[in-house]
Amino acid sequence: MTILAVPAAGSLRQRLVDDMTLRRFSRETQRNYLRDVGRLATFLRRSPDTATVDDLRRFQIAQQEIGLGVPTMNAIVSALRFFFVHTIDRPDLARRLVRLNHPRPLPDVLSPEEVGRLLGATVCLKHLAALSVAYGAGLRVAEVAALKVADVDSTRMLLRVERGKGGRDRNAMLSTDLLVLLRRWWIEGHRQGVLHREGWLFPGQDWARSISTRQLHRIVVEAARSAGIPKRVGPHTLRHSFATHLLEDGVDIRVIQVLLGHARLDTTALYAKVATRTVRAVTSPLDRLALFHGEGPAPG
């Protein structure tokens, strides 16, 4: 049983969809929220808008007992809080949901040399262009897939990102080399009949539909394997590498926050922990004492 199967759930489901659409949630977020509210309906075997405080407590204990990970459980909490606050106006229930602490692991980051090898291992111009956008502009994989030809603003040297994470629009950077590559892809894609001025920048097998995020993930994994990169690599690895390399090159972290579209600075600050060149560039206060430049004391 899901939210679709309970009595009168059709209108409740539509209200939830309308509330998410009003806030410009992405299709993926809407799908995830519907699924997670459906988890509660399945557990209750009745409409989720009839849940009580005790129901929510039992539900969260049951989710933990079946072995759901902390990130998944917290994602369910986000979905249910939205449902209770915005769709059925029960913020008192939302406050009773428990969000678990989860130390965020450091992301895997490629070196600039590894990025070059990965991009060089792509098998066609479309794949090269798509992965170059992910790295060169720091876009999320869903943002790369959603780009349209018209989003490339060569006059202002920007990529328009519509409805990014949280439904927010923003401008991403468009470097000179990336523009050159995208123009090459436009010429080739237009010749093949798959690129159109009002269409997707990276169409799938059918030119009328965009490439899927799953396909982009496969492209990255296959390129990393061909390049002999042993690290666990996905599309988001290129975004992590973009941010880390900018930080190592001395770009202000607040600028990187804007480029990434992060709502909070502490999210961007994670990259300071993996910016190894930044760490190596700092002079230790011990070195400033210059105690050991000479012969020094004898061992023992």
Side-chain angles (χ1 to χ4, degrees):
M1 181 183 294
T2 69
I3 191 173
L4 300 177
V6 295
S11 59
L12 184 62
R13 181 188 188 280
Q14 189 57 51
R15 282 166 54 194
L16 176 57
V17 170
D18 290 344
D19 289 333
M20 293 188 290
T21 302
L22 180 64
R23 290 161 181 82
R24 303 186 69 185
F25 282 15
S26 69
R27 285 179 294 180
E28 182 177 5
T29 298
Q30 292 194 30
R31 182 172 62 249
N32 292 341
Y33 274 32
L34 287 170
R35 178 201 61 210
D36 290 339
V37 174
R39 291 179 194 262
L40 177 61
T42 300
F43 175 80
L44 296 176
R45 297 184 177 276
R46 64 180 192 271
S47 180
D49 63 342
T50 65
T52 65
V53 171
D54 186 60
D55 287 333
L56 297 182
R57 180 177 177 276
R58 291 188 299 107
F59 172 70
Q60 287 205 278
I61 292 173
Q63 299 301 297
Q64 193 168 37
E65 288 178 345
I66 64 176
L68 289 186
V70 172
T72 301
M73 291 187 65
N74 285 342
I76 294 172
V77 168
S78 295
L80 293 180
R81 283 181 175 174
F82 182 89
F83 172 73
F84 288 130
V85 171
H86 299 287
T87 301
I88 66 171
D89 194 21
R90 290 291 307 276
D92 56 309
L93 290 179
R95 288 193 293 269
R96 303 306 292 267
L97 291 162
V98 178
R99 183 178 292 275
L100 303 177
N101 290 329
H102 178 60
R104 187 174 178 184
L106 294 179
D108 286 325
V109 173
L110 302 178
S111 69
E113 184 269 338
E114 287 174 324
V115 173
R117 282 164 46 201
L118 184 145
L119 295 178
T122 52
V123 298
C124 68
L125 187 56
K126 181 173 81 169
H127 294 177
L128 174 61
L131 299 193
S132 295
V133 166
Y135 174 66
L139 299 193
R140 301 176 178 92
V141 61
E143 294 169 345
V144 174
L147 283 174
K148 296 181 178 179
V149 172
D151 293 329
V152 181
D153 187 344
S154 59
T155 302
R156 296 191 299 159
M157 296 300 290
L158 297 171
L159 290 173
R160 289 190 293 271
V161 178
E162 296 185 353
R163 300 181 67 176
K165 189 172 183 178
R168 295 182 294 269
D169 295 346
R170 76 176 192 281
N171 290 321
M173 64 185 297
L174 174 62
S175 69
T176 302
D177 284 358
L178 183 56
L179 178 59
V180 170
L181 177 60
L182 291 178
R183 281 174 169 163
R184 283 177 53 201
W185 164 231
W186 162 255
I187 293 171
E188 177 60 22
H190 195 59
R191 185 190 66 79
Q192 295 176 7
V194 297
L195 280 186
H196 305 273
R197 292 194 179 278
E198 301 303 321
W200 302 104
L201 183 58
F202 302 113
Q205 293 182 345
D206 178 0
W207 68 267
R209 303 183 67 175
S210 69
I211 193 170
S212 68
T213 56
R214 182 173 298 180
Q215 177 64 16
L216 285 170
H217 187 274
R218 284 197 295 265
I219 292 168
V220 174
V221 170
E222 291 170 3
R225 185 183 301 116
S226 298
I229 298 173
K231 298 176 182 176
R232 186 176 179 180
V233 178
H236 219 67
T237 308
L238 295 173
R239 176 174 160 88
H240 291 323
S241 302
F242 164 85
T244 304
H245 297 164
L246 286 182
L247 190 61
E248 291 179 336
D249 287 340
V251 177
D252 189 281
I253 195 168
R254 289 177 292 271
V255 174
I256 299 173
Q257 177 191 4
V258 172
L259 292 174
L260 293 174
H262 283 162
R264 299 169 55 184
L265 183 60
D266 58 354
T267 305
T268 317
L270 174 70
Y271 297 109
K273 299 180 180 180
V274 293
T276 57
R277 273 194 290 158
T278 302
V279 174
R280 293 198 304 267
V282 177
T283 300
S284 168
L286 179 65
D287 290 351
R288 295 188 186 280
L289 298 178
L291 296 177
F292 311 120
H293 289 188
E295 183 176 317

